[in-house]
């Protein structure tokens, strides 16, 4: 099915049967934004319950369903598919390929996602309710509790794993086989590099997640005892399998974000990225190290001291390549001709807040200290600083940066900046106080809390509603741009808010290789 359809069914069939990487990228982006709003709604329920101490609004069991679905929908429905959508849109254009290597599979990768998440969301209406065991679904809670909905949850996880693996194979095949002549690996844009490495991570760890949920399925329905001590199994085995997937997973979420920031900061600094090769090596180092740190999520299970030491030092080591990246981004801006349009604001916000999240991660890496932090709101604060201020901020920057290229119209810069400041302030009001209540001992995933935590929780909830509201402004800006934005030209964009003409910063070119020298024609030829 090409770009040209005719007849009444054109509208639906264009999207249902498309093999066009841009259409598929667009569908991923819209789907992930819908999941972002759904996951955000679940978070609002959580924060509304925690607005004051005591039990109001929801039952404890339903609160647990909200924490579970919020995590699952945000990680697997919002963040991951949004970056896959970005990969679909940008990678072929950045490497000079006509499309993805496997366009039919690309369509399939996307279209199995909506049914999977429909199934996951439908568990809310099943007998016994949705899964209530947290997004990490630790056994034996997830296997002995086993509401009927758990089976549907397992099937949904399998489907999204299949989608991730197919999408990754597609990216690997495209980047390795379809680069334009002269586009060597070390001339690829950083975004392409981060996604190539991310794709290998996904292919490596998604089958491990599939193994974990298959063993769960067996324990629930077929009388096995993988995770049951009574039958000779071990619940800690579940944690090892889960986190062997789960730790690389958090780098799968953040590496494409690093790629986005590495494209946008040079554009608004008007100079090339500082330390390109070191950025590639740092990304690869992070990816390698992500496989040997998984048990830092499990310091409190009683592992041998040698195990704690190994995972502690390996985890601290990840700070080195990550620090290299942060210093390179700052060096890129150093003495650059900076301008602070919306995408750049989100990237600078990313830089400051992600670094803070990195420091709290370093604190959590220290085994004896982690005994105190474990399962408190300090951990919640830490990973929201890296996932929201990291992945979501950079994804938002990407949308503002590439939207004019995608639809040929310019967004409202004034509204974009407003969105940034409300987001930035709301985010910090939400998550900064959680460091304090966490260090003071407030446990996570609990619907009630002691009186001394009341003030900070009220702040946190107010911040969450501010941050949530700012995303509706974002949605409005994007739709208004697509429907009625000012058309962009190569040179000028009319900025209605200021009544001035701005010269748009030309992004770094997609093809960074040199043109071959023109061959002089022999005399006498035309």
């Amino acid at each position: 099915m090409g770009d040209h359809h005719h007849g009444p069914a054109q509208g639906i069939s264009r999207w249902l049967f498309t093999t066009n990487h841009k259409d598929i990228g667009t569908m991923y982006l819209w789907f992930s934004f819908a999941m972002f709003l759904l996951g955000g709604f679940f978070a609002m329920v959580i924060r509304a319950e925690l607005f004051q101490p005591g039990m109001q609004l929801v039952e404890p069991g339903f609160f647990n369903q909200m924490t579970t679905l919020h995590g699952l929908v945000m990680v697997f429905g919002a963040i991951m598919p949004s970056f896959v959508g970005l990969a679909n849109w940008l990678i072929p254009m950045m490497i000079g390929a006509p499309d993805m290597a496997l366009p039919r599979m690309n369509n399939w990768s996307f279209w199995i996602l909506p049914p999977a998440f429909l199934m996951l969301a439908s568990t809310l209406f099943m007998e016994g309710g949705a899964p209530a065991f947290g997004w990490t679904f630790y056994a034996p809670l997830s296997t002995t509790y086993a509401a009927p909905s758990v089976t549907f949850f397992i099937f949904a996880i399998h489907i999204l794993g299949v989608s991730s693996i197919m999408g990754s194979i597609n990216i690997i095949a495209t980047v390795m086989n379809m680069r334009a002549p002269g586009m060597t690996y070390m001339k690829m844009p950083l975004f392409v590099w981060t996604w190539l490495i991310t794709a290998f991570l996904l292919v490596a760890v998604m089958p491990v997640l599939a193994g974990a949920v298959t063993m769960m399925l067996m324990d629930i329905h077929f009388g096995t005892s993988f995770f049951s001590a009574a039958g000779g199994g071990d619940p800690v085995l579940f944690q090892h399998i889960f986190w062997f997937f789960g730790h690389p997973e958090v780098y799968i979420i953040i590496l494409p974000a690093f790629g986005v920031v590495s494209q946008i900061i040079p554009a608004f600094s008007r100079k090339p990225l500082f330390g390109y090769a070191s950025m590639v090596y740092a990304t690869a180092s992070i990816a390698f190290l992500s496989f040997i740190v998984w048990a830092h999520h499990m310091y409190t299970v009683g592992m041998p001291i040698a195990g704690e030491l190994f995972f502690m030092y390996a985890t601290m080591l990840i700070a080195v390549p990550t620090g290299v990246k942060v210093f390179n981004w700052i060096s890129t801006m150093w003495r650059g001709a900076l301008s602070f349009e919306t995408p750049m604001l989100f990237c600078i916000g990313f830089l400051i807040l992600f670094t803070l999240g990195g420091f709290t991660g370093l604190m959590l890496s220290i085994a004896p200290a982690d005994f105190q932090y474990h399962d408190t709101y300090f951990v919640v604060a830490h990973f929201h600083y890296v996932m929201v201020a990291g992945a979501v901020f950079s994804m938002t920057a990407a949308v503002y940066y590439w939207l004019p290229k995608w639809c040929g119209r310019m967004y409202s810069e004034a509204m974009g900046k407003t969105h940034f400041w409300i987001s930035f302030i709301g985010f910090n009001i939400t998550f900064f106080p959680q460091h304090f209540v966490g260090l003071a001992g407030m446990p996570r995933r609990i619907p009630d809390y002691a009186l001394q935590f009341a003030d900070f929780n009220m702040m946190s909830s107010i911040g969450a509603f501010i941050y949530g509201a700012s995303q509706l402004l974002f949605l409005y800006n994007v739709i208004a741009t697509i429907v009625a934005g000012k058309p962009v030209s190569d040179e000028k964009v009319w900025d209605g808010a200021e009544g001035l003409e701005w010269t748009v910063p030309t992004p770094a070119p997609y093809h960074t290789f040199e043109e071959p020298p023109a061959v002089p024609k022999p005399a006498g030829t035309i």
Side-chain angles (χ1 to χ4, degrees):
M1 313 285 292
D3 289 339
H4 307 288
H5 299 288
H6 304 285
Q10 182 208 334
I12 299 169
S13 62
R14 168 183 169 180
W15 298 104
L16 218 49
F17 303 122
T18 181
T19 50
N20 178 323
H21 71 98
K22 297 176 184 178
D23 281 354
I24 292 169
T26 300
M27 291 194 299
Y28 266 111
L29 289 166
W30 276 115
F31 170 75
S32 66
F33 198 82
M35 290 297 103
F36 182 54
L37 295 179
L38 179 67
F41 170 73
F42 295 151
M44 296 300 100
V45 175
I46 294 167
R47 282 318 323 169
E49 175 58 61
L50 295 172
F51 183 76
Q52 52 181 217
M55 295 299 303
Q56 48 276 323
L57 294 175
V58 298
E59 293 292 313
F62 187 74
F63 183 90
N64 293 345
Q65 293 175 41
M66 290 292 99
T67 57
T68 301
L69 287 175
H70 167 68
L72 289 170
V73 168
M74 285 304 200
V75 168
F76 296 113
I79 298 177
M80 289 172 73
S82 67
F83 283 111
V84 177
L86 222 49
N88 264 296
W89 250 104
L90 299 174
I91 287 175
M93 295 195 288
M94 284 180 164
I95 64 173
D99 203 291
M100 296 295 279
L102 305 155
R104 307 279 298 195
M105 189 171 83
N106 206 15
N107 173 290
W108 177 229
S109 296
F110 172 76
W111 275 111
I112 61 178
L113 285 181
F117 281 94
L118 208 58
M119 191 161 60
L120 191 61
S122 72
T123 60
L124 276 166
F125 307 104
M126 291 178 188
E127 187 191 349
F133 37 56
W135 86 272
T136 51
F137 47 98
Y138 275 13
L141 181 60
S142 57
T143 49
T144 51
Y145 156 74
S149 61
V150 176
T151 309
F152 291 86
F153 152 81
I154 290 171
F155 190 34
I157 292 279
H158 270 303
I159 293 172
L160 60 92
V162 169
S163 168
S164 281
I165 290 171
M166 289 196 296
S168 299
I169 289 171
N170 214 340
I171 287 167
I172 293 167
T174 305
V175 173
M176 292 182 81
N177 296 318
M178 298 180 71
R179 301 190 310 283
M183 174 63 74
T184 61
Y185 281 112
M186 292 308 278
K187 286 181 180 172
M188 296 193 310
L190 239 285
F191 178 76
V192 181
W193 256 119
T194 54
W195 243 118
L196 178 63
I197 291 167
T198 300
F200 278 106
L201 284 183
L202 276 164
V203 171
V205 302
M206 283 325 248
V208 179
L209 178 65
V213 294
T214 304
M215 284 185 263
M216 273 176 70
L217 192 74
M218 298 295 219
D219 275 11
I220 293 167
H221 293 293
F222 300 106
T224 57
S225 296
F226 289 109
F227 307 131
S228 164
D234 184 0
V236 177
L237 172 68
F238 175 87
Q239 297 185 31
H240 280 292
I241 297 167
F242 178 84
W243 286 115
F244 188 80
F245 146 79
H247 197 83
E249 163 67 24
V250 300
Y251 289 94
I252 287 162
I253 285 171
I254 205 65
L255 288 180
F258 289 169
V260 166
V261 172
S262 301
Q263 302 296 132
I264 296 177
I265 285 181
F268 292 96
S269 303
R270 273 71 170 179
K271 56 202 277 268
L273 183 71
F274 181 88
Y276 173 92
S278 69
M279 287 300 237
V280 174
Y281 300 138
T283 308
S285 310
I286 290 169
F288 170 74
L289 290 169
S290 76
F291 281 99
I292 57 168
V293 297
W294 77 89
H296 66 207
H297 298 271
M298 304 166 52
Y299 286 140
T300 53
V301 301
M303 70 177 91
I305 194 84
E308 284 179 4
L309 281 169
F310 170 80
F311 286 106
M312 183 164 104
Y313 291 130
T315 303
M316 289 176 166
L317 203 56
I318 288 194
V320 178
T322 311
V324 167
K325 292 174 104 52
V326 171
F327 283 119
N328 282 2
W329 290 320
I330 293 168
S331 303
T332 304
M333 292 191 287
W334 178 252
R335 294 180 65 117
L338 300 178
S339 67
F340 300 100
E341 280 79 30
T342 309
M344 185 63 159
L345 288 179
F346 273 98
C347 284
I348 293 169
F350 164 97
L351 213 55
I352 296 164
L353 300 179
F354 175 82
T355 302
L356 184 72
F359 281 131
T360 55
L362 204 54
M363 292 169 66
L364 287 161
S365 73
I366 301 164
D370 182 77
F371 292 155
Q372 305 303 119
Y373 308 141
H374 187 81
D375 252 333
T376 70
Y377 263 84
F378 188 83
V379 179
V380 178
H382 155 70
F383 74 71
H384 283 87
Y385 267 81
V386 292
M387 281 205 197
V388 181
V392 178
F393 272 36
S394 76
M395 188 65 218
T396 312
V399 171
Y400 280 117
Y401 185 61
W402 279 296
L403 186 65
K405 186 174 185 66
W406 294 336
C407 71
R409 296 171 183 276
M410 192 62 188
Y411 61 88
S412 158
E413 188 67 62
M415 207 186 299
K417 288 191 163 99
T418 306
H419 170 219
F420 167 74
W421 284 111
I422 298 175
S423 272
F424 184 84
I425 292 164
F427 170 83
N428 282 293
I429 293 172
T430 307
F431 294 108
F432 204 78
Q434 293 182 8
H435 294 102
F436 306 145
V437 293
L439 291 177
M442 180 173 160
R444 59 189 280 206
R445 293 175 172 169
I446 308 289
D448 193 7
Y449 52 85
L451 205 56
Q452 68 264 31
F453 304 130
D455 292 349
F456 281 137
N457 269 290
M458 187 176 283
M459 278 178 66
S460 206
S461 290
I462 291 168
F465 281 92
I466 292 171
Y467 179 76
S470 76
Q471 304 314 311
L472 300 176
L473 182 68
F474 179 40
L475 178 65
Y476 175 81
N477 200 356
V478 170
I479 294 173
T481 303
I482 294 167
V483 172
K486 298 280 190 294
V488 298
S489 69
D490 285 343
E491 294 301 323
K492 301 275 187 188
V493 168
W494 179 253
D495 185 347
E498 311 262 344
L500 299 165
E501 272 191 324
W502 290 105
T503 303
V504 183
T506 311
Y510 288 136
H511 303 288
T512 51
F513 52 87
E514 298 78 23
E515 288 293 322
V519 181
K521 295 193 178 81
T525 58
I526 296 167

